[in-house]
Amino acid sequence: MSWKTEYPRVLLKRDNITILDEGWTLNGTKINMPYPPQSELSGYGQKVKNHLSYEVAFEVLEWDENEDIVLHFGAVDQVADVYVNQIFVGHHEGGYLPFSFHIAKALKPNYNILQVDVTDTLNRKYPYGKQSRSPHGMWYTQVSGIWQSVWLERVPRKAIKALYISTTMTTLTLDVDTTSATYDVLIKDTDNQPVWQKEGIDSTVAFTVDFCEEGLDMKLWDTEHPYLYNLELFTKTDHVYSYFGLREIKVLENNQIALNNQPVFLHGILDQGYFPEGIFLPKDPGEYEKDVLRMKELGFNMIRKHVKVEPEQFYYACDKHG
């Protein structure tokens, strides 16, 4: 696995993306991305100040009037101003959440320059966890600037903008944000074989399918058998991929937490999400899966994160391995 090849947004995939993790400079010095400049893996080796100016050249082949190009950032700490070909395309504040901008109007055929100007003063206006300019004891090395993948996505003008999934033991509810009036759904099992499908679903309201009413014996997700189904959504112009597990969590009358109506003892740890060489990131996303498996081998079935929001590959590893 590599940050340069793994799809950053696991819950809403498309076929056409370009990950921009090659050829970056920071304040005029080469940097390995997407690692934060304070980390060994970044190869930056310079003193990191409050203001950081990133730059990278990239190419975009021709696109038609029915398409748009979206520029995605996994996370930038703390405040970012983004320019494409010296044209301002957007501003973002906060160091942990993903954000994106539509940039087609700023693009030129083929050769383009992306510039990201970042300010990180450890401003307490924004969550920053245990970062410190003088790490000691429980206080960790500061992380500044871009620390997750930057990527381009070619999307139709009438795209599926967002997908919200909720489940019970027998139902799947989809809330789809799209300008298309209807969409189609295809569910597949882990072997990618079709299980259920429906066409012409009204996109203006949430849709729920009850698999018992459909006569289907669906497999549940639990910590010992974390079964995941593949999900595909179609409109006339768009096609996206996602996944889900059928599970239900609630509190019983005796205040016990239940998973699929069975009491479950939550045996968990506080996961700070720090790594020796990459600080906020492991060397590659495959390390998340290895880390989750190590924790499960030790008998844990729950992970509590401290402030930090991880890349989606981490949460997928949790779903995949229970």
Side-chain angles (χ1 to χ4, degrees):
M1 286 186 176
S2 167
W3 296 110
K4 297 173 176 61
T5 57
E6 284 294 297
Y7 205 114
R9 191 184 56 206
V10 185
L11 280 169
L12 191 64
K13 292 184 177 181
R14 287 188 179 87
D15 291 324
N16 201 345
I17 70 164
T18 302
I19 298 177
L20 301 180
D21 281 348
E22 298 281 1
W24 286 82
T25 61
L26 170 57
N27 294 342
T29 298
K30 180 181 176 182
I31 182 171
N32 300 323
M33 298 286 278
Y35 308 106
Q38 290 92 341
S39 71
E40 178 184 336
L41 287 172
S42 74
Y44 183 60
Q46 306 293 317
K47 183 178 180 180
V48 181
K49 300 179 180 180
N50 292 346
H51 302 286
L52 306 88
S53 183
Y54 289 86
E55 191 170 288
V56 69
F58 65 96
E59 291 186 340
V60 178
L61 300 179
E62 293 183 3
W63 65 97
D64 63 44
E65 61 182 11
N66 294 317
E67 292 181 311
D68 201 351
I69 306 296
V70 182
L71 174 63
H72 295 272
F73 292 85
V76 181
D77 198 351
Q78 288 178 296
V79 180
D81 289 301
V82 181
Y83 302 82
V84 175
N85 299 321
Q86 299 184 332
I87 298 172
F88 177 73
V89 296
H91 173 85
H92 183 265
E93 299 183 14
Y96 294 101
L97 297 179
F99 58 97
S100 61
F101 305 114
H102 291 255
I103 63 169
K105 292 182 179 179
L107 292 174
K108 299 177 182 178
N110 296 319
Y111 187 80
N112 296 270
I113 296 292
L114 168 62
Q115 180 181 340
V116 185
D117 290 338
V118 182
T119 300
D120 181 12
T121 61
L122 280 184
N123 189 331
R124 295 192 178 187
K125 174 183 176 182
Y126 313 105
Y128 62 88
K130 295 180 179 179
Q131 297 182 57
S132 172
R133 291 191 181 88
S134 302
H136 61 281
M138 61 170 277
W139 295 96
Y140 303 154
T141 302
Q142 180 182 359
V143 166
S144 299
I146 301 171
W147 67 271
Q148 289 187 34
S149 289
V150 181
W151 50 291
L152 295 172
E153 183 178 36
R154 188 186 298 265
V155 301
R157 294 285 182 182
K158 292 186 176 181
I160 295 173
K161 300 176 183 178
L163 169 62
Y164 305 97
I165 300 172
S166 59
T167 66
T168 67
M169 295 170 60
T170 61
T171 65
L172 167 69
T173 298
L174 301 174
D175 194 353
V176 181
D177 183 359
T178 177
T179 54
S180 296
T182 63
Y183 62 92
D184 305 335
V185 172
L186 173 62
I187 295 173
K188 296 181 179 180
D189 61 20
T190 53
D191 297 321
N192 222 29
Q193 296 301 309
V195 173
W196 183 87
Q197 60 185 355
K198 185 175 180 62
E199 298 179 351
I201 300 173
D202 184 356
S203 66
T204 62
V205 293
F207 169 78
T208 299
V209 53
D210 188 317
F211 295 113
C212 286
E213 293 180 358
E214 297 289 324
L216 295 174
D217 184 18
M218 303 288 279
K219 296 181 180 180
L220 296 181
W221 183 100
D222 62 36
T223 56
E224 296 303 317
H225 303 93
Y227 195 92
L228 297 176
Y229 286 94
N230 297 311
L231 178 66
E232 296 184 35
L233 272 66
F234 308 81
T235 68
K236 291 181 179 179
T237 58
D238 205 0
H239 180 194
V240 299
Y241 306 85
S242 190
Y243 73 91
F244 69 93
L246 281 176
R247 58 190 173 191
E248 186 173 353
I249 300 172
K250 62 183 179 182
V251 179
L252 303 178
E253 290 183 358
N254 59 3
N255 290 326
Q256 284 185 303
I257 295 175
L259 172 62
N260 300 336
N261 288 334
Q262 298 298 317
V264 58
F265 179 74
L266 296 180
H267 188 202
I269 64 168
L270 172 60
D271 182 8
Q272 304 282 355
Y274 278 75
F275 300 86
E277 297 175 323
I279 308 180
F280 266 14
L281 284 185
K283 184 176 181 179
D284 63 76
E287 183 60 29
Y288 287 131
E289 186 169 27
K290 295 175 184 176
D291 219 18
V292 168
L293 288 172
R294 292 186 196 108
M295 289 183 253
K296 191 164 186 180
E297 185 179 355
L298 290 171
F300 298 110
N301 63 5
M302 182 186 75
I303 299 172
R304 180 169 70 91
K305 298 303 298 186
H306 180 269
V307 179
K308 179 173 176 253
V309 179
E310 300 285 5
E312 284 195 22
Q313 290 94 336
F314 167 80
Y315 301 102
Y316 175 67
C318 292
D319 284 337
K320 182 179 178 181
H321 296 290

